[in-house]
Amino acid sequence: MTIIVIGKSGQLAWELTQLSTPEQTVVCLGRGDVDLQDVSALVDTLKQYNVAGVINASAYTAVDKAESDVENAYQLNARAVGHLAQACKALAVPFVHISTDFVFHGDKGSPYLPSDEINPLGVYGASKAQGEQLITDIYPEQSIILRTSWVYSTHGNNFVKTMLNLMATKPELGVISDQIGTPTYAQGLAKSCVASISKQVTGIHHYTDTGVASWFDFAVAIQSIALELGLLDKKIAIKPITTAQYPTPAKRPHYSVLDKSSLVSALPEVSLTHWQTQLRVMMIALKAEREA
């Protein structure tokens, strides 16, 4: 059986390929392999495989650019998602779609439940919300929407690797301290995607690591572990700043911690781990990659 991953270059797609086994192969399809705007072509492509399930790891994730690139954001985050749902329905195969904490406004102040009202602040969140709605309308019987947040991996571009680069080259950093969420190692998210297919979980659920952090807290932890592991050779000052001090084209939720209890109930074998523990695991792996 084959799990098809839509998306080839992202960090989640890379982590999913690490889960490939002789019994259950993971195959990633990129832009040159599949046309997300043509449902019949999608069906024809998927028919070439003995498909156990489809995981959509592709998305328009440039949050600030989306504010001025609205058409492309909706093309990938909404319309393409609807087409994937149609194709999976035509073949009666499970469909896993990755969504985001950005569908929420960020004013709740306690962990968001999957059933909480969505109210995105910008184009990115709104386009992802429309993708969710299309799945719910088209193929609820065999689809799962997994919302996540603050994803990072040893592969690809992410906050951890950006911070390491800046900490190695700058005398000090200012990092936002009034946006609260939960960092998530993509390795665990990948395992949850695969488990969702095998257990045929449906509906909207949340997956992140456990615990709560600001971007400032995240950066401080990155530096501390990096110094301990020898990924950095000097300590620099990291100063907390406010969102107002670092204006961006897109507004971001001030609080977007996600409640994972429904996924834990549906997949008790999925163990959730504190974000600081997972960060250390990832950074040890990153050190090993760099030394190799």
Side-chain angles (χ1 to χ4, degrees), residues 184-203:
T184 304
Y185 185 14
Q187 185 182 82
L189 178 60
K191 291 176 181 177
S192 292
C193 290
V194 172
S196 297
I197 290 173
S198 62
K199 291 298 176 71
Q200 298 186 340
V201 179
T202 61

Side-chain angles (χ1 to χ4, degrees), residues 152 185 188 207 209 273-282:
Y152 63 90
Y185 185 14
Y207 179 90
D209 292 326
T273 308
H274 195 275
W275 69 266
Q276 290 192 27
T277 302
Q278 290 289 70
L279 176 62
R280 181 180 296 275
V281 171
M282 176 273 195

Side-chain angles (χ1 to χ4, degrees), residues 7-193:
K8 218 171 192 175
S9 59
Q11 48 195 4
L12 177 59
W14 186 85
E15 293 288 357
L16 283 161
T17 63
Q18 308 309 298
L19 303 178
S20 194
T21 66
E23 297 78 29
Q24 191 161 263
T25 309
V26 176
V27 174
C28 294
L29 301 179
R31 292 178 185 176
D33 306 310
V34 64
D35 184 356
L36 297 180
Q37 303 308 321
D38 185 332
V39 177
S40 61
L42 262 174
V43 171
D44 289 342
T45 300
L46 294 175
K47 278 182 177 177
Q48 298 173 29
Y49 302 90
N50 186 17
V51 182
V54 174
I55 300 170
N56 183 27
S58 70
Y60 188 108
T61 57
V63 175
D64 290 319
K65 188 180 176 185
E67 293 298 306
S68 58
D69 193 21
V70 178
E71 174 62 25
N72 285 324
Y74 273 90
Q75 187 87 344
L76 191 53
N77 290 345
R79 286 187 286 277
V81 174
H83 295 156
L84 281 166
Q86 287 177 265
C88 289
K89 183 173 184 175
L91 297 172
V93 296
F95 179 41
V96 180
H97 174 68
I98 306 303
S99 193
T100 173
D101 57 327
F102 274 61
V103 299
F104 294 116
H105 186 278
D107 58 355
K108 184 182 178 186
S110 60
Y112 278 97
L113 297 164
S115 57
D116 281 337
E117 180 183 0
I118 60 173
N119 184 17
L121 291 168
V123 171
Y124 168 67
S127 63
K128 294 291 286 185
Q130 189 174 105
E132 289 186 5
Q133 188 60 54
L134 286 167
I135 294 169
T136 303
D137 291 345
I138 294 166
Y139 193 40
E141 57 269 27
Q142 281 200 81
S143 292
I144 176 171
I145 296 163
L146 282 181
R147 295 186 185 128
T148 190
S149 67
W150 300 22
V151 178
Y152 63 90
S153 165
T154 58
H155 179 84
N157 299 316
N158 53 65
F159 184 78
V160 178
K161 292 166 82 174
T162 297
M163 286 297 106
L164 288 173
N165 289 336
L166 291 173
M167 289 167 185
T169 57
K170 301 288 185 182
E172 65 176 39
L173 283 179
V175 183
I176 290 172
S177 62
D178 60 354
Q179 291 175 21
I180 308 298
T182 307
T184 304
Y185 185 14
Q187 185 182 82
L189 178 60
K191 291 176 181 177
S192 292
C193 290

